[in-house]
Structures are given as structure tokens and as C-alpha cells.
Amino acid sequence: MDEELKELYQQVILDHNRSPRNFGKLEQANHSAEGYNPLCGDKVNVYIEIENDIVKGISFQSSGCAISRASLFDELCC
């Protein structure tokens, strides 16, 4: 990976760790799931509000490293 791309990747990870999007419990969620990785200790709860087969809202709460948070954001938003 070239240095410019590596630096951009690191900046994105740090940004998502400092200011995670969709972070927090979605109070109107009607579906949820929780996960735990015993190898590194990461924990995550995902909350989804679905209405008429349409996702109306999604959020997460987690404790883990910066890469874990950034990847959660990536999975939830894209």
C-alpha cells in the first residue's frame, strides 16, 4: 500500500473512532443483535428499526479498538 493511501486509511479510522456515526442505542429499534469477540474483547450491540420491510434506522454501541469502530461504521452505512 502506498504511503498516501495508508495515511488516508489511518485518518479515516481515527476519525470514525473519535466521532462514530450512528453510535448509541436506537430507542425505536424493533430488532437488535449483540456480538462479542473473545479473542480481542470487542463487544457490539446493533439496533435496527424496520417498518414494512424497510430499514428506517440503524445504530450501534460498542467497546473495542479504533479499527473495530471504523469497520462497524463501514458496515452500517454502506
Side-chain angles (χ1 to χ4, degrees), residues 50-71:
I50 299 177
E51 184 179 304
N52 298 323
D53 294 331
I54 297 172
V55 175
K56 296 291 189 173
I58 189 165
S59 69
F60 73 98
Q61 291 179 311
S62 70
S63 62
C65 66
I67 292 173
S68 172
R69 279 190 156 184
S71 65

Side-chain angles (χ1 to χ4, degrees):
M1 182 182 304
D2 76 354
E3 280 304 309
E4 196 172 301
L5 186 57
K6 185 176 179 179
E7 185 177 327
L8 175 62
Y9 180 71
Q10 289 174 344
Q11 288 173 5
V12 169
I13 289 173
L14 292 174
D15 178 54
H16 290 311
N17 186 53
R18 282 189 299 267
S19 303
R21 284 66 159 185
N22 302 313
F23 187 83
K25 185 173 182 178
L26 184 65
E27 294 301 327
Q28 60 271 36
N30 50 15
H31 298 278
S32 65
E34 49 184 76
Y36 173 68
N37 184 339
L39 297 176
C40 66
D42 288 350
K43 296 178 183 179
V44 63
N45 292 305
V46 178
Y47 307 96
I48 304 172
E49 177 189 6
I50 299 177
E51 184 179 304
N52 298 323
D53 294 331
I54 297 172
V55 175
K56 296 291 189 173
I58 189 165
S59 69
F60 73 98
Q61 291 179 311
S62 70
S63 62
C65 66
I67 292 173
S68 172
R69 279 190 156 184
S71 65
L72 278 167
F73 167 75
D74 239 11
E75 293 299 319
L76 294 177
C77 79
C78 303

